[in-house]
Amino acid sequence: MKKIALALGLVAVPALTLAATAFQDPSLGTDQPRNSTRVQNDSVRRQLQDRMQVLEEQLMQARRRLESNEQRLEVVRQRLNECADLAVDAVVENDHHNCTPSRNLISHFQWMHENELPEPADRLLTHIVDQHRGDPERLARLARNLMTDDELAGRFDAAALAISERANGSIQRPHAAVFDAYALALFLNERFDEAVLYGRQALQAAGREDERLMRRLRTYETAASALESPTESNIEFQGAISSVATVVETTAEAQPR
């Protein structure tokens, strides 16, 4: 019996050990992996924080450099404006005795406009207007010539727009020729919606069905509508652009009053 009891005891001890292990808290055996993961996460977080700090410092340095460059650019722009003013004085003096603005004067305006020198460009524009006594019809005629003359067409569209804007702003009553020149200048500078607006005003101010004005207006309207849905109206848009030469020619032929 003792031998049997001893044998049963030897069997029971491993079984109890196994049972105790089976009912043990599962978290007790995973502490080490969790701690390892936590350490890894903390390490990654610190690396990210360090990297963010470096990036923030680099960003601050870039901002400081940008501010410094902007200040230098402003100084350069001021000096360029001063030089442009001197050039304007010289050009105006040379043209002072001319009854009409020379091509050199308009070329200087175009250059200053394209190089974003608004103040000197505006001075030249004012001189051009003054030479024409601020007469809107004369200014509109000048703008039209810049856009339609065989030698000048396509070279001075920005100048033509600025001159026709001055003409349009100085009229006392609706004027078909002024509206027509302004509409064409807007069209050539790709401001199609406004070209439609002033094209309609030109037609209305003419007080009659002018075929040339109606033809140009249709061109403006086609270009404007093509921009609203370019994929559907691409053919119409190409047709409108190809008709620019026709518009310019018919504008040169007829000057509505």
Side-chain angles (χ1 to χ4, degrees):
M1 291 294 294
K2 290 182 178 180
K3 292 181 178 180
I4 293 173
L6 180 59
L8 290 174
L10 293 174
V11 172
V13 171
L16 291 172
T17 303
L18 180 60
T21 303
F23 289 98
Q24 190 177 14
D25 186 353
S27 65
L28 297 177
T30 60
D31 283 346
Q32 185 173 356
R34 288 192 176 185
N35 290 337
S36 177
T37 301
R38 188 178 299 111
V39 170
Q40 291 178 357
N41 290 341
D42 291 342
S43 176
V44 171
R45 189 178 296 108
R46 284 194 297 271
Q47 291 178 7
L48 290 175
Q49 290 174 345
D50 292 342
R51 181 59 179 164
M52 286 294 295
Q53 184 176 358
V54 171
L55 291 175
E56 288 177 357
E57 293 176 353
Q58 292 177 347
L59 178 60
M60 291 299 297
Q61 293 175 0
R63 286 177 177 173
R64 286 193 291 269
R65 288 196 298 269
L66 178 60
E67 291 174 357
S68 177
N69 289 336
E70 287 178 345
Q71 293 173 357
R72 295 176 181 176
L73 180 60
E74 182 60 28
V75 171
V76 172
R77 182 171 294 279
Q78 290 176 357
R79 292 177 179 175
L80 184 58
N81 273 319
E82 293 172 359
C83 293
D85 284 335
L86 294 175
V88 169
D89 292 338
V91 172
V92 169
E93 180 63 27
N94 290 335
D95 271 33
H96 182 68
H97 301 291
N98 291 351
C99 59
T100 58
S102 67
R103 189 180 306 175
N104 185 48
L105 183 68
I106 297 175
S107 297
H108 276 80
F109 169 84
Q110 184 90 5
W111 183 88
M112 292 179 182
H113 175 79
E114 291 174 351
N115 287 275
E116 300 181 358
L117 295 168
E119 294 179 4
D122 190 66
R123 285 186 58 200
L124 283 174
L125 180 60
T126 298
H127 182 65
I128 295 172
V129 172
D130 289 345
Q131 283 191 328
H132 284 77
R133 302 180 185 277
D135 186 328
E137 188 171 350
R138 292 178 61 188
L139 291 172
R141 190 179 302 114
L142 171 62
R144 185 181 294 108
N145 289 338
L146 291 174
M147 295 182 286
T148 60
D149 184 86
D150 290 338
E151 187 178 352
L152 303 178
R155 296 175 53 192
F156 299 107
D157 290 344
L161 177 59
I163 293 169
S164 60
E165 281 179 337
R166 289 289 186 95
N168 184 63
S170 61
I171 57 176
Q172 302 298 321
R173 57 182 177 80
H175 197 301
V178 174
F179 289 152
D180 180 51
Y182 191 30
L184 179 59
L186 289 165
F187 175 73
L188 294 179
N189 284 273
E190 300 183 3
R191 291 165 57 176
F192 301 133
D193 288 336
E194 294 170 271
V196 170
L197 174 63
Y198 284 95
R200 290 173 180 170
Q201 291 188 21
L203 189 60
Q204 183 178 2
R208 63 184 187 278
E209 292 187 359
D210 188 305
E211 181 60 31
R212 292 184 178 89
L213 291 177
M214 294 174 66
R215 189 185 310 155
R216 288 195 285 275
L217 177 58
R218 285 195 296 269
T219 299
Y220 305 155
E221 290 174 337
T222 300
S225 62
L227 283 184
E228 295 177 358
S229 53
T231 54
E232 298 177 2
S233 307
N234 185 56
I235 296 177
E236 293 182 1
F237 181 75
Q238 294 298 329
I241 296 303
S242 65
S243 64
V244 170
T246 302
V247 172
V248 169
E249 289 172 2
T250 56
T251 304
E253 294 171 1
Q255 299 180 8
R257 294 184 181 275

